[in-house]
Amino acid sequence: MIDPEEFLKFIKERRSIRSFQNKAIPEKEIEMILEAGRWTPSASNLQPWEFIVIKNKEILEKISKFAYFGQFIKDAPIAIAIVGKIKINPKWYKIDSTLVSMNMMLMAWALRIGTCWLGDMNREEIKRIIGLDENDHLLTVLPFGYIKGDIPVPMPRKPLNKIVKVV
Ligand SMILES: Cc1cc2nc3c(=O)[nH]c(=O)nc-3n(C[C@H](O)[C@H](O)[C@H](O)COP(=O)(O)O)c2cc1C
């Protein structure tokens, strides 16, 4: 088991990374990120998701035009689109696939690989670019790459006494 203090420190140290080195990520490490996604919990264990590994630079470039606050995706050596499969679990596909994204981000951080959740994007255009259909929910596309430059300073978090209630 992981030392709990170390684990909490690890969670606190993870940062969103928006600048990547032009350096390939070994297959073994990509596979570990995918494995972390695969082992995510899901409602009734239905695993309503699919992961699209995007290595093609032209595709990354095209996606960057529709990722409004994520143009930096074009500099990443790879990205993974996390797709919620609506038909597999219409009620929970979004929550389940969101949990996948967190597992993948933490695995990447353990590998010293940077990533950043991309929210605002033209999902319809990006779905078209990567060949998804109407029953696929494009949750996000996570860029992955070795960190370029300094690790950003932490964004502040609300103190526990502002967000925790005990009843
Ligand atoms: C749902 C969601 C959407 C986000 N969308 C973007 C985005 O489009 N572009 C971006 O640069 N960062 C995005 N972020 C990253 C947040 O800005 C970042 O997680 C937050 O500022 C805290 O910083 P940290 O991750 O370094 O702790 C998003 C994060 C989440 C969870």
Side-chain angles (χ1 to χ4, degrees):
M1 286 297 263
I2 301 175
D3 174 73
E5 295 289 344
E6 280 296 312
F7 186 58
L8 182 58
K9 184 167 171 278
F10 174 77
I11 287 175
K12 289 183 179 180
E13 283 176 356
R14 182 210 53 82
R15 293 276 73 76
S16 291
I17 300 298
R18 301 175 176 87
S19 190
F20 307 106
Q21 294 177 37
N22 182 17
K23 182 178 159 193
I25 299 177
E27 284 303 318
K28 173 74 193 150
E29 301 195 350
I30 297 173
E31 197 181 311
M32 288 178 84
I33 293 168
L34 294 168
E35 275 291 88
R38 186 168 79 92
W39 279 93
T40 302
S42 62
S44 307
N45 197 32
L46 284 175
Q47 305 162 58
W49 51 56
E50 204 166 65
F51 315 141
I52 318 280
V53 180
I54 307 161
K55 296 182 173 178
N56 182 306
K57 270 281 166 199
E58 277 173 33
I59 295 179
L60 289 172
E61 187 93 31
K62 280 187 194 162
I63 291 174
S64 75
K65 298 198 164 63
F66 297 105
Y68 304 126
F69 301 101
Q71 275 93 355
F72 48 85
I73 195 170
K74 67 177 177 340
D75 306 321
I78 71 145
I80 300 177
I82 301 174
V83 180
K85 304 297 280 185
I86 300 171
K87 280 200 167 157
I88 294 177
N89 194 340
K91 188 171 174 193
W92 295 111
Y93 69 91
K94 260 190 208 175
I95 305 278
D96 290 343
S97 51
T98 302
L99 295 176
V100 164
S101 67
M102 193 71 241
N103 263 13
M104 286 189 179
M105 289 198 296
L106 289 175
M107 187 67 238
W109 194 253
L111 292 163
R112 296 172 201 277
I113 291 170
T115 184
C116 180
W117 223 97
L118 299 189
D120 269 340
M121 59 178 76
N122 184 330
R123 284 182 167 70
E124 286 314 307
E125 286 294 341
I126 297 176
K127 278 175 69 171
R128 194 183 48 73
I129 293 166
I130 57 178
L132 300 181
D133 73 31
E134 64 190 58
N135 292 307
D136 295 328
H137 171 72
L138 176 63
L139 178 81
T140 187
V141 189
L142 296 177
F144 291 97
Y146 292 108
I147 302 164
K148 186 173 170 186
D150 295 336
I151 291 172
V153 292
M155 299 292 283
R157 294 314 203 248
K158 296 175 185 174
L160 280 182
N161 65 12
K162 290 271 192 289
I163 57 170
V164 177
K165 282 184 188 162
V166 181
V167 294

